């Protein structure tokens, strides 16, 4: 998985195209991510008990991982992600633009 939660990403498609945001959650099996205050949907909750009101709750809807690009923390550009073996056999992500190790 090239995107992790906590990453800053740029959205390349959909209603928040061009915006950036922080990744809240990643669903690797489905290939989905949710981004903080992006791609918001409103969920309408019915009143559960008598006397209670229904509510509208905004939440960031999952979107396809293909529609986000990682923003490199080193050079600040939206980039593709490569990987590289570090000494000790650990895999690191690298920015394809500036070639720097991301983490
Ligand atoms: Zn970079």
């Amino acid at each position: 998985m090239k995107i992790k939660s906590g990453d800053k990403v740029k959205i390349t498609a959909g209603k928040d195209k061009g915006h950036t945001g922080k990744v809240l959650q990643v669903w690797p099996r489905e290939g989905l991510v949710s981004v903080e205050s992006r791609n918001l949907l409103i969920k309408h909750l019915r009143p559960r008990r008598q006397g209670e009101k229904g509510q509208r709750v905004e939440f960031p809807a999952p979107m396809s991982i293909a529609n986000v690009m990682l923003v490199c923390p080193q050079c600040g550009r939206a980039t593709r992600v490569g990987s590289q073996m570090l000494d000790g056999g650990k895999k690191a992500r690298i920015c394809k633009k500036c070639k720097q190790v991301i983490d």
Side-chain angles (χ1 to χ4, degrees):
M1 215 52 185
K2 290 178 173 177
I3 305 283
K4 295 177 183 174
S5 61
D7 282 347
K8 193 177 171 198
V9 291
K10 183 169 184 186
I11 295 159
T12 58
K15 72 175 183 181
D16 283 315
K17 186 173 174 176
H19 286 108
T20 57
K22 198 178 95 180
V23 174
L24 294 178
Q25 210 181 336
V26 181
W27 292 266
R29 221 162 0 118
E30 290 85 357
L32 298 173
V33 291
S34 65
V35 180
E36 189 172 45
S37 36
R38 301 293 174 213
N39 202 27
L40 289 177
L41 288 187
I42 297 171
K43 194 185 254 175
H44 297 265
L45 299 179
R46 300 200 138 271
R48 287 212 197 107
R49 270 174 257 119
Q50 242 184 356
E52 221 177 34
K53 280 202 177 139
Q55 280 182 340
R56 296 165 62 202
V57 181
E58 274 191 326
F59 70 103
M63 62 184 120
S64 169
I65 206 152
N67 295 339
V68 301
M69 277 181 100
L70 185 69
V71 174
C72 172
Q74 315 288 348
C75 64
R77 288 181 290 182
T79 181
R80 285 176 300 129
V81 181
S83 61
Q84 192 184 345
M85 281 297 188
L86 293 180
D87 303 336
K90 239 187 114 207
K91 226 171 166 188
R93 297 185 298 168
I94 58 164
C95 169
K96 288 260 194 191
K97 291 207 167 127
C98 66
K99 309 286 179 204
Q100 296 216 57
V101 174
I102 295 164
D103 54 27

